[in-house]
Amino acid sequence: MNDADPAPSVSDDAKPELDPSCLQHLLGYQLAQANVPIRRIFLKNIGASFQLGPVEFTVLSLVANNRDVTQKQLSRTLSVSAPNITALLDRLEQRGLLTRLRSQSDRRSQVIRLTGTGAALARKALEVSQTMEHEALSHLSRGERGILIELLQKVARHGRP
């Protein structure tokens, strides 16, 4: 058979799975594969239940658990550009979940505060987040889960300024 000949017709169901062993050494590939079931869990438990994307959930959680958060702090913590943080905060403010107030200590900056609705939503979503991944990680021991989180945090910290 030459390159011009059509490939024999085989249904996709009959084809063997691809061999991903050439990618096994890549952390990015492993993270992407691990993220598939975890993202599905997030979307089911937080996304659908509270109409929050991962970054929105993260922002609400950080503001709920830190005092006098600024846009600059969020931008640095999340490695998100200032214009993107502004757009995200605009959307959350339009939903009535947060408000921006002029800082009393530095009149040039604003602090972000959750509204009553935002605080209640953050509290409920954080509560759900405490257990939503347990089933997906049930094949790991408690110690393995701890080591996994610790190693991922170490990788993330090393790549930050």
Side-chain angles (χ1 to χ4, degrees), residues 2-155:
N2 65 42
D3 289 340
D5 292 336
S9 177
V10 177
S11 79
D12 280 344
D13 293 338
K15 291 182 180 179
E17 291 294 318
L18 296 177
D19 176 9
S21 61
C22 61
L23 302 170
Q24 297 301 316
H25 66 285
L26 295 170
L27 177 60
Y29 175 77
Q30 300 303 333
L31 290 172
Q33 292 303 301
N35 190 47
V36 170
I38 298 302
R39 184 166 176 81
R40 192 176 305 121
I41 290 167
F42 178 90
L43 293 174
K44 175 185 170 195
N45 290 276
I46 303 292
S49 300
F50 302 103
Q51 287 74 52
L52 294 172
V55 179
E56 294 168 326
F57 167 75
T58 301
V59 166
L60 291 180
S61 299
L62 289 171
V63 174
N65 289 283
N66 292 275
R67 190 164 173 77
D68 293 336
V69 175
T70 66
Q71 288 184 219
K72 188 172 186 176
Q73 287 175 305
L74 285 173
S75 183
R76 275 195 321 254
T77 300
L78 302 175
S79 296
V80 174
S81 71
N84 286 340
I85 283 292
T86 299
L88 174 66
L89 293 176
D90 287 346
R91 287 193 309 272
L92 292 172
E93 193 168 31
Q94 287 169 359
R95 287 182 59 189
L97 300 177
L98 59 78
T99 187
R100 290 175 269 197
L101 306 166
R102 186 78 44 213
S103 170
Q104 294 300 316
S105 60
D106 181 356
R107 303 291 293 162
R108 296 169 295 167
S109 70
Q110 294 179 325
V111 294
I112 301 156
R113 300 256 169 84
L114 296 182
T115 62
T117 301
L121 185 72
R123 190 173 40 258
K124 290 175 191 169
L126 273 166
E127 186 177 315
V128 168
S129 76
Q130 296 295 319
T131 58
M132 69 183 186
E133 295 175 344
H134 284 178
E135 185 180 331
L137 300 175
S138 63
H139 62 287
L140 300 177
S141 71
R142 185 180 184 138
E144 287 171 328
R145 287 191 301 270
I147 290 169
L148 175 62
I149 296 294
E150 186 177 324
L151 290 173
L152 289 171
Q153 289 170 339
K154 192 172 184 177
V155 168

